[in-house]
Amino acid sequence: MLNLERIFRDDRLLRAMTGLNRKAFENLLPSFNEAYQQSRSNPEVVRKRAPGGGRKATLRTSRDKLFYILLYCKCYPTFDLMSVLFDFDRSCAWDWVHGLLPVLEQALGHKQVLPERKVRSMEEFLERFPEVKEVIFDGTERPVQRPKDPDKQKEHYSGKKKRHTRKHITGSTRKKRVILLTKARAGKIHDKRQLDEEDLVGNIPDEVVIEGDLGFQGLQNEFDNVHLPHKKPRGKELSEQQKQENREFSRQRVACEHAHAGIKRYRSVTDVYRNRVPDFDDRLMLNAAGLWNLYLDAA
């Protein structure tokens, strides 16, 4: 079984196993503990015995539970491996992961680090992000197991990645913070189509600059505040000025790539997805983005 006391004393080891340093971990712990207590007192949950009854849990403290779910998000081990590391049955490993991930999500929401899934009006955007002057949109994909159903195979096959994937569109700031995140969709869908169907751009104020790559070609014709790089004309070349403008534009947009790299420190959103619960991958991505934002706040 893991020596948790040794891990908590070693900041490097804690970062390697959870993705958070000690400062960020301790900052999140009180909110996680509060969210866990609220989940236990939920009147909709039917209990077989009173709280505290029965055999004592292996993960006894909130610190242990937070470490457990962060280890799963960071390293994405199998439930068999988790059962060996924490000395309980693989079914218990499954129960702990699916029971604690919503608690982690609630704790991150309390810390106000989760990205928004939907912006309903410009007023709501300004209230939620008063300091944001630019939003950088970009797509990110994660591999999934090849579906057995031929229709699902076709739907999930990404021509860009040459494999079966699930896709998100993120909205990031120049400070690498992820503030917007769409629902997970099958990898075949085009970036612009996914963004259009989520209706995010229309509810961003005109004074906020929206930046994207050529995957969102055509968006600049619909909104005046959208900036895209110059596209090379068919059979022609870009001028030197246009090439220079594209280089400068890329230097500004690279912040979104850094944000994606921060999220993808968590292997639960980069390894081939192997869970069977519907939309669980979407919840993993939401929590990974929240943990990255929390890390930025603690840096």
Side-chain angles (χ1 to χ4, degrees):
M1 184 174 176
L2 290 174
N3 186 339
L4 297 183
E5 292 304 323
R6 178 197 170 196
I7 294 170
F8 289 124
R9 289 195 302 267
D10 190 331
D11 192 62
R12 178 184 175 87
L13 196 56
L14 185 64
R15 289 200 310 270
M17 300 184 75
T18 67
L20 299 180
N21 57 26
R22 186 178 290 106
K23 179 181 178 181
F25 187 95
E26 296 297 338
N27 184 27
L28 179 60
L29 185 56
S31 297
F32 182 86
N33 180 56
E34 181 181 351
Y36 181 73
Q37 297 303 327
Q38 290 177 358
S39 70
R40 294 191 67 185
S41 60
N42 187 350
E44 297 181 0
V45 177
V46 179
R47 299 185 59 90
K48 295 182 179 180
R49 57 177 68 91
R55 188 168 70 90
K56 299 305 179 185
T58 304
L59 304 176
R60 297 191 178 184
T61 66
S62 294
R63 184 189 66 166
D64 296 343
K65 294 178 178 68
L66 178 57
F67 173 81
Y68 178 90
I69 192 61
L70 289 178
L71 174 66
Y72 182 81
C73 292
K74 178 66 168 66
C75 302
Y76 199 43
T78 63
F79 294 126
D80 292 295
L81 178 56
M82 292 292 273
S83 69
V84 173
L85 293 176
F86 290 90
D87 193 25
F88 44 51
D89 190 76
R90 71 180 306 275
S91 63
C92 293
W94 190 98
D95 290 338
W96 277 119
V97 166
H98 288 271
L100 292 178
L101 194 66
V103 176
L104 176 62
E105 184 178 327
Q106 184 177 345
L108 293 171
H110 182 264
K111 302 296 291 184
Q112 295 186 334
V113 293
L114 289 177
E116 292 291 334
R117 312 308 300 272
K118 187 73 175 179
V119 178
R120 296 172 180 81
S121 66
M122 295 184 183
E123 292 75 15
E124 181 180 337
F125 183 93
L126 291 173
E127 181 181 355
R128 182 69 176 85
F129 309 111
E131 304 297 325
V132 172
K133 302 302 180 184
E134 304 91 9
V135 178
I136 309 169
F137 282 109
D138 198 11
T140 180
E141 301 180 57
R142 64 96 45 87
V144 298
Q145 294 176 339
R146 180 175 179 268
K148 294 182 180 180
D149 182 82
D151 292 333
K152 289 186 178 180
Q153 287 181 23
K154 184 176 180 181
E155 182 183 6
H156 284 80
Y157 187 78
S158 169
K160 178 180 179 181
K161 298 295 183 180
K162 306 302 181 185
R163 64 188 308 177
H164 299 88
T165 66
R166 295 265 283 175
K167 178 183 290 187
H168 295 269
I169 301 294
T170 64
S172 309
T173 68
R174 295 274 176 84
K175 296 182 178 180
K176 309 175 188 177
R177 190 180 184 90
V178 181
I179 62 173
L180 299 171
L181 178 68
T182 66
K183 291 283 188 179
R185 297 285 298 275
K188 183 181 178 180
I189 190 170
H190 193 273
D191 287 359
K192 183 178 183 301
R193 178 183 171 190
Q194 185 174 4
L195 190 63
D196 288 343
E197 292 180 358
E198 294 291 341
D199 194 26
L200 286 177
V201 178
N203 292 320
I204 296 177
D206 295 339
E207 59 268 26
V208 177
V209 177
I210 298 171
E211 298 176 346
D213 57 21
L214 290 177
F216 302 103
Q217 188 69 27
L219 198 64
Q220 75 277 20
N221 300 326
E222 303 170 19
F223 302 95
D224 294 334
N225 57 335
V226 173
H227 294 178
L228 302 181
H230 297 290
K231 183 179 180 180
K232 178 179 172 295
R234 180 176 297 179
K236 299 181 181 180
E237 296 292 334
L238 294 175
S239 66
E240 287 302 319
Q241 181 180 351
Q242 290 174 324
K243 290 179 180 179
Q244 178 60 34
E245 290 174 355
N246 279 356
R247 285 192 288 268
E248 180 62 30
F249 189 73
S250 295
R251 281 194 286 269
Q252 296 174 353
R253 285 194 67 256
V254 75
C256 75
E257 302 295 345
H258 294 161
H260 287 179
I263 294 173
K264 291 179 179 181
R265 297 186 309 166
Y266 293 89
R267 294 186 60 178
S268 59
V269 297
T270 58
D271 287 1
V272 176
Y273 180 67
R274 58 177 182 268
N275 299 73
R276 303 298 182 184
V277 176
D279 295 325
F280 188 67
D281 62 326
D282 184 70
R283 176 161 274 178
L284 287 172
M285 184 66 177
L286 178 64
N287 279 276
L291 289 168
W292 167 244
N293 290 338
L294 181 73
Y295 177 84
L296 290 177
D297 290 347

